[in-house]
């Protein structure tokens, strides 16, 4: 017998052995190897370097990662710098963060089945708008540093001062933010000028400015006069503001700021060695259509009742492509929802009490330090102090670490202290003892009784916060638990049914993979803690980088990019830096096939490259003749090609090696978008068949959950010649080129992928890929006589997804993809990807995690829908009043007066199996146009609420 039993592979892969045999028989293959041999082009067979290692069982893998986690040392950190200790309320931890109804949900592109997470995000937007004093906020961005970079380019687009190419950034901003600004600015020709805002000189020299409030070192400056000066010169002003401090301080919107950005991390989201955390971005109403990221808006459904949806610029980079203002196509939804519920649970009084307590402890700390002879550099502060400690500095740091305390390292003669929600009076006394030397430690209680506020009187907040009822009701655990359950019940997530989205790989997020995420050893570590305290993370990331190199065939990996879009960006930055290192500064042309993801041209534009689109043939493959002609035409300036493989059309293109050779022959580099890596792991490897760099979506192929639209991780793998140009960070050996605020981006969710790969092993990963291909081809075969499959390879097979062509049905019945997508809700399914990459089609990807029973349930639903369309075609159902045009059907409609020409039973129970387990959509079909024309992006006002 074997020493341990690995049950995980069979748990992750849906179909059983008999099911696999039946599906293979339908396709005409004897086994998975024969199917794989037919799907993978001969030119790239055998390119995988993954190996055939065995995986570990769940218990064994959990024990192994527990041992790694134990190597992280949890000191009490007063480092601050944008990252703070916080208490995640237990009911939020249990009912949201650890609840698959929340973490397995997909991006709310189908609003009718996403009303719960959309409401939580609307709460988040309202929270941000209230605290920032600005009328409109988005549904979150990736982290504070990248939000600041988005604010910089936002100011560049909208500022009246068009003559300037310089952006002023205060030296009081967090250092990591300044690093990201420099990374983003350089390819765009923007000059970042870092200086003291109190000595800014000619305001007309800048198109915009970024200020920190409170400053990174703790000071609170009055920016009102400066903002007026900048506005008079035609510049826009962005303010990076601490949300907890804004409970007590005048908000940026009230002193004239045009943009407020920052992090919502300290609202209940663990430190997590840097992420994932929800950044925020708020602005003025007249700038709303230029705001980056996603925006939740209020609209109406077909019954005239309020319904939520993603508004306006949703996935705008897929529409505007290289003209897009950002390549962001995600949000930190799961983390934004935690912050949202933190505010709901505590309410305005609770948040204000937390803020007051943190400030009071800081004021007491400062008073005690003064008594001990240490001069605090700040006159006014919220939670952060800096001290000039001179020659004592190194000794104080050493003494602190001996007591398991981390202080902020500002420079050789200064150090900093930031308190937070978790700080206790005992810890303040321990800090006094650290600084006291031989002196007696002050009495905490006596200082507490006499200490005064150190907030500036003229900047105390006068406006109310969070007056809406949602922030003033759910303050008992019972109420919050039921609220979270009510919201989750409105949604369809992977815990209810298959989510067959093509290109998005909604596979299983196994419980054993998720368990380590909430361990304190991973969750409570500050990203800027000394390296010797994060040896567990060092081991985890080193092993994970090696795992991903083996899976992709690349030589080096960076885990820093915290979204697929950021991975794309980091990959093209590496290519650009490589060309520049060789003196090829003129190489700025990026070839992109017309079928590519919209993020690709948007990303190329962000790194200063010019996009040249190449054609596709009638089968959806890259037109190699057109590609060759354009590569040769631009050979002197060719920087790169961005190509998705398998193709965006879900097919393994035969000519991929030839494509790579053409690009290399003309001096360019090959960027292979790793969005479809789910079809390659263990079978072929982009780093071995011609790719120079790829980003990977760990939230797709490697099992990190989508969490309602985020978090994500988008690491890049590169060949050896690009390795010196991977993203750097102040906390890494290479200092330049940071693309995320923390050195390892969203580090705390990396254990998910480590666990997945460790448990699957090389054999299991290869098997998963084969099963993903089998499941996709099974669906394609079952549905092809009902809906034509638009693209396939020479052998009639698809890769891991298939595109169903509904365009002919629109001609014969008037039924389009929207109607089929909404009708699928009545069957209890999330829709496939609509109209991408081809308008009027549905792209279906089942993943390897779905059982044959679930695949058949989906196919049965689609076939039943085709019969309903046929009834419309034949006149048995009215072309306007039919189950598809009226879908989805709500329970409220069912019990009301029934005026349709089809039965209630057909509307809500189109298949008998639905009687046993029915999902009821909370709203009818949402009116998108109304929502954009009447934009409301926060909880309704009290007056509107009372009127209703």
């Amino acid at each position: 017998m074997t020493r341990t039993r690995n049950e995980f592979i069979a748990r992750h892969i849906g179909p059983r052995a008999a099911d696999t045999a039946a599906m293979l028989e339908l396709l005409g293959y004897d086994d998975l190897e024969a199917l794989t041999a037919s799907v993978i082009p001969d030119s790239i067979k055998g390119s995988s370097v993954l190996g055939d290692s065995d995986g570990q069982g769940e218990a064994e893998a959990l024990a192994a990662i527990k041992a790694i986690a134990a190597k992280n040392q949890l000191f009490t950190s007063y480092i601050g710098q944008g990252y703070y200790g916080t208490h995640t309320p237990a009911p939020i931890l249990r009912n949201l963060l650890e609840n698959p109804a929340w973490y397995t949900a997909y991006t709310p592109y189908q609003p009718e089945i996403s009303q719960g997470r959309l409401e939580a995000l609307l709460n988040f937007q309202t929270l941000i708008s209230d605290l920032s004093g600005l009328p409109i906020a988005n549904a979150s961005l990736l982290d504070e540093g990248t939000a600041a970079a988005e604010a910089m380019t936002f100011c560049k687009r909208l500022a009246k001062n068009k003559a300037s190419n310089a952006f002023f950034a205060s030296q009081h901003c967090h250092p990591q933010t300044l690093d990201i600004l420099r990374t983003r600015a350089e390819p765009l020709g923007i000059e970042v000028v870092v200086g003291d805002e109190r000595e800014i000189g000619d305001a007309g020299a800048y198109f915009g400015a970024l200020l920190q409030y409170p400053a990174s070192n703790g000071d609170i400056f009055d920016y009102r006069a400066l903002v007026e000066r900048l506005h008079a010169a035609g510049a826009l002003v962005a303010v990076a503001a601490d949300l907890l401090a804004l409970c007590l301080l005048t908000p940026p919107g009230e002193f004239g700021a045009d943009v407020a950005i920052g992090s919502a991390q300290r609202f209940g989201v663990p430190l997590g060695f840097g992420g994932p955390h929800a950044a925020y971005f708020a602005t003025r109403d007249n700038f709303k259509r230029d705001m980056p990221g996603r925006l939740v808006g209020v609209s109406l459904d077909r019954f005239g009742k309020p319904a939520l949806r993603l508004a306006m610029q949703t996935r705008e980079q897929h529409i505007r492509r290289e003209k897009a203002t950002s390549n962001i196509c995600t949000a930190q939804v799961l983390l934004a929802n935690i912050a949202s519920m933190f505010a709901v649970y505590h309410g305005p009084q609770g948040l204000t009490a937390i803020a007051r307590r943190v400030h009071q402890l800081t004021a007491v700390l400062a008073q005690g330090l003064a008594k001990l002879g240490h001069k605090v550099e700040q006159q006014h502060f919220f939670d952060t102090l800096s001290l000039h400690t001179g020659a004592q500095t190194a000794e104080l740091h050493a003494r602190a670490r001996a007591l398991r305390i981390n202080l902020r390292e500002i420079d050789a003669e200064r150090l900093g202290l930031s308190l937070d929600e978790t700080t206790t009076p005992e810890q303040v006394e321990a800090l006094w003892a650290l600084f006291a030397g031989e002196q007696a430690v002050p009495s905490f209680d006596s200082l507490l009784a006499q200490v005064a506020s150190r907030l500036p009187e003229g900047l105390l907040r006068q406006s109310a916060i969070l007056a809406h009822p949602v922030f003033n009701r759910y303050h008992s655990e019972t109420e919050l638990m039921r609220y979270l359950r009510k919201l989750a019940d409105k949604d369809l997530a992977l815990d209810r049914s298959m989510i067959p989205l093509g290109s998005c790989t909604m596979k299983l997020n196994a419980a054993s993979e998720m368990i380590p995420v909430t361990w304190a050893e991973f969750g409570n570590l500050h990203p800027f803690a000394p390296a010797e305290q994060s040896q567990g993370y060092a081991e985890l990331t080193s092993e994970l980088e090696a795992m991903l190199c083996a899976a992709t065939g690349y030589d080096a990996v960076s885990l820093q990019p915290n979204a697929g879009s950021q991975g794309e960006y980091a990959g093209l930055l590496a290519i650009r830096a490589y060309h520049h290192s060789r003196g090829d500064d003129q190489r700025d042309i990026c070839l992109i096939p017309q079928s590519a993801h919209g993020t690709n041209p948007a990303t190329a534009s962000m790194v200063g490259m010019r996009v040249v689109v190449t054609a596709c043939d009638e089968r959806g493959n890259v037109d190699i003749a057109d590609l060759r002609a354009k590569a040769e035409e631009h050979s002197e300036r060719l920087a790169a090609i961005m190509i998705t493989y398998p193709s965006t059309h879900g097919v393994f293109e035969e000519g991929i090696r030839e494509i790579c050779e053409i690009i290399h022959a003309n001096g360019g580099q090959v960027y292979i978008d790793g969005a479809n890596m789910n079809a390659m792991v263990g079978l072929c490897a982009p780093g071995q068949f011609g790719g120079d760099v790829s980003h990977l979506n760990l939230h797709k192929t490697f099992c990190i959950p989508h969490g309602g639209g985020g978090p994500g991780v988008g690491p890049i793998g590169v060949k050896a010649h690009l390795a010196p140009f991977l993203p750097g960070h102040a906390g890494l050996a290479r200092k330049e080129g940071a693309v995320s605020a923390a050195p390892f981006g969203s580090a705390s969710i990396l254990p998910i992928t480590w666990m997945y790969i460790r448990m699957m092993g090389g054999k299991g990963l290869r098997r998963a890929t084969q099963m993903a291909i089998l499941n996709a081809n099974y669906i394609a075969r079952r549905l092809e006589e009902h809906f034509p499959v638009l693209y396939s390879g020479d052998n009639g097979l698809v890769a891991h997804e298939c595109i169903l062509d509904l365009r002919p049905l629109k001609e014969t019945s008037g039924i389009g993809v929207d109607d089929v997508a909404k009708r699928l809700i009545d069957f209890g399914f999330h829709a496939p990807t609509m109209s991408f990459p081809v308008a009027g089609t549905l792209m279906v990807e089942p993943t390897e995690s779905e059982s044959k029973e679930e695949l058949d349930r989906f196919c049965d639903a689609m076939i039943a829908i085709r019969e309903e369309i046929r009834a419309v075609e034949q006149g048995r159902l009215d072309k306007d009043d039919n189950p598809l045009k009226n879908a989805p059907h709500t329970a409220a409609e069912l019990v009301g007066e029934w005026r349709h020409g089809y039965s209630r039973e057909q509307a809500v129970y189109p298949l008998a199996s639905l009687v046993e387990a029915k999902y009821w959509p909370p709203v009818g079909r949402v009116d998108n146009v109304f929502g954009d024309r009447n934009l409301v992006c926060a909880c309704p006002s009290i007056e509107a609420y009372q009127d209703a």
Side-chain angles (χ1 to χ4, degrees), residues 43-62:
S43 64
I44 60 173
K45 279 178 184 166
S47 61
S48 174
V49 294
L50 182 62
D52 61 352
S53 60
D54 292 318
Q56 288 184 316
E58 294 182 58
E60 190 178 4
L62 279 168

Side-chain angles (χ1 to χ4, degrees), residues 35 76 106 199 207 209 221 226 242 396 414 433 438 505 528 567 622 666 675 681 721 744 748 801 852 917 939:
L35 173 67
T76 301
Y106 184 61
E199 303 168 2
F207 66 79
F221 299 123
L226 176 59
D242 182 285
L396 283 167
R414 295 163 68 241
E438 301 300 318
T505 322
F528 304 141
V622 171
N666 287 281
V681 179
H721 65 283
F744 292 94
S748 69
E801 57 194 6
K852 181 175 180 293
C939 295

